[in-house]
PDB file of all heavy atoms in Angstrom:
ATOM      1  N   VAL I 533      44.062  -2.254  -0.692  1.00 95.00           N
ATOM      2  CA  VAL I 533      44.125  -0.827  -0.983  1.00 95.00           C
ATOM      3  C   VAL I 533      45.542  -0.368  -0.629  1.00 95.00           C
ATOM      4  O   VAL I 533      45.947  -0.449   0.534  1.00 95.00           O
ATOM      5  CB  VAL I 533      43.084  -0.037  -0.166  1.00 95.00           C
ATOM      6  CG1 VAL I 533      43.196   1.456  -0.443  1.00 95.00           C
ATOM      7  CG2 VAL I 533      41.673  -0.520  -0.505  1.00 95.00           C
ATOM      8  N   PRO I 534      46.301   0.091  -1.606  1.00 96.00           N
ATOM      9  CA  PRO I 534      47.723   0.383  -1.356  1.00 96.00           C
ATOM     10  C   PRO I 534      47.937   1.643  -0.523  1.00 96.00           C
ATOM     11  O   PRO I 534      47.076   2.517  -0.439  1.00 96.00           O
ATOM     12  CB  PRO I 534      48.289   0.569  -2.761  1.00 96.00           C
ATOM     13  CG  PRO I 534      47.118   0.987  -3.602  1.00 96.00           C
ATOM     14  CD  PRO I 534      45.933   0.280  -3.019  1.00 96.00           C
ATOM     15  N   GLY I 535      49.097   1.704   0.090  1.00 96.00           N
ATOM     16  CA  GLY I 535      49.548   2.925   0.752  1.00 96.00           C
ATOM     17  C   GLY I 535      49.089   3.112   2.171  1.00 96.00           C
ATOM     18  O   GLY I 535      49.253   4.198   2.735  1.00 96.00           O
ATOM     19  N   SER I 536      48.529   2.086   2.784  1.00 97.00           N
ATOM     20  CA  SER I 536      48.016   2.249   4.143  1.00 97.00           C
ATOM     21  C   SER I 536      49.126   2.637   5.113  1.00 97.00           C
ATOM     22  O   SER I 536      50.186   2.010   5.140  1.00 97.00           O
ATOM     23  CB  SER I 536      47.370   0.953   4.630  1.00 97.00           C
ATOM     24  OG  SER I 536      47.070   1.041   6.011  1.00 97.00           O
ATOM     25  N   PRO I 537      48.873   3.670   5.935  1.00 97.00           N
ATOM     26  CA  PRO I 537      49.864   4.056   6.944  1.00 97.00           C
ATOM     27  C   PRO I 537      49.734   3.248   8.236  1.00 97.00           C
ATOM     28  O   PRO I 537      50.358   3.575   9.246  1.00 97.00           O
ATOM     29  CB  PRO I 537      49.525   5.527   7.199  1.00 97.00           C
ATOM     30  CG  PRO I 537      48.051   5.614   6.994  1.00 97.00           C
ATOM     31  CD  PRO I 537      47.736   4.618   5.895  1.00 97.00           C
ATOM     32  N   GLY I 538      48.920   2.191   8.188  1.00 96.00           N
ATOM     33  CA  GLY I 538      48.710   1.381   9.378  1.00 96.00           C
ATOM     34  C   GLY I 538      47.406   1.681  10.087  1.00 96.00           C
ATOM     35  O   GLY I 538      47.219   1.287  11.241  1.00 96.00           O
ATOM     36  N   THR I 539      46.496   2.378   9.417  1.00 97.00           N
ATOM     37  CA  THR I 539      45.183   2.695   9.993  1.00 97.00           C
ATOM     38  C   THR I 539      44.472   1.409  10.401  1.00 97.00           C
ATOM     39  O   THR I 539      44.304   0.508   9.580  1.00 97.00           O
ATOM     40  CB  THR I 539      44.320   3.448   8.970  1.00 97.00           C
ATOM     41  OG1 THR I 539      45.005   4.630   8.563  1.00 97.00           O
ATOM     42  CG2 THR I 539      42.973   3.819   9.568  1.00 97.00           C
ATOM     43  N   PRO I 540      44.053   1.291  11.660  1.00 97.00           N
ATOM     44  CA  PRO I 540      43.398   0.052  12.092  1.00 97.00           C
ATOM     45  C   PRO I 540      41.985  -0.084  11.531  1.00 97.00           C
ATOM     46  O   PRO I 540      41.325   0.909  11.229  1.00 97.00           O
ATOM     47  CB  PRO I 540      43.370   0.183  13.617  1.00 97.00           C
ATOM     48  CG  PRO I 540      43.388   1.648  13.872  1.00 97.00           C
ATOM     49  CD  PRO I 540      44.210   2.255  12.772  1.00 97.00           C
ATOM     50  N   ALA I 541      41.545  -1.317  11.404  1.00 97.00           N
ATOM     51  CA  ALA I 541      40.181  -1.579  10.949  1.00 97.00           C
ATOM     52  C   ALA I 541      39.169  -1.050  11.958  1.00 97.00           C
ATOM     53  O   ALA I 541      39.459  -0.955  13.157  1.00 97.00           O
ATOM     54  CB  ALA I 541      39.977  -3.075  10.748  1.00 97.00           C
ATOM     55  N   GLN I 542      37.995  -0.688  11.467  1.00 98.00           N
ATOM     56  CA  GLN I 542      36.919  -0.281  12.360  1.00 98.00           C
ATOM     57  C   GLN I 542      36.338  -1.520  13.038  1.00 98.00           C
ATOM     58  O   GLN I 542      35.822  -2.414  12.355  1.00 98.00           O
ATOM     59  CB  GLN I 542      35.816   0.441  11.600  1.00 98.00           C
ATOM     60  CG  GLN I 542      34.638   0.848  12.499  1.00 98.00           C
ATOM     61  CD  GLN I 542      33.443   1.381  11.730  1.00 98.00           C
ATOM     62  OE1 GLN I 542      33.444   1.412  10.506  1.00 98.00           O
ATOM     63  NE2 GLN I 542      32.407   1.786  12.446  1.00 98.00           N
ATOM     64  N   PRO I 543      36.351  -1.597  14.372  1.00 98.00           N
ATOM     65  CA  PRO I 543      35.783  -2.760  15.068  1.00 98.00           C
ATOM     66  C   PRO I 543      34.267  -2.616  15.212  1.00 98.00           C
ATOM     67  O   PRO I 543      33.749  -2.306  16.284  1.00 98.00           O
ATOM     68  CB  PRO I 543      36.498  -2.733  16.417  1.00 98.00           C
ATOM     69  CG  PRO I 543      36.748  -1.276  16.666  1.00 98.00           C
ATOM     70  CD  PRO I 543      36.986  -0.653  15.301  1.00 98.00           C
TER      71      PRO I 543
END
Side-chain angles (χ1 to χ4, degrees):
V533 178
S536 171
T539 303
Q542 178 189 3

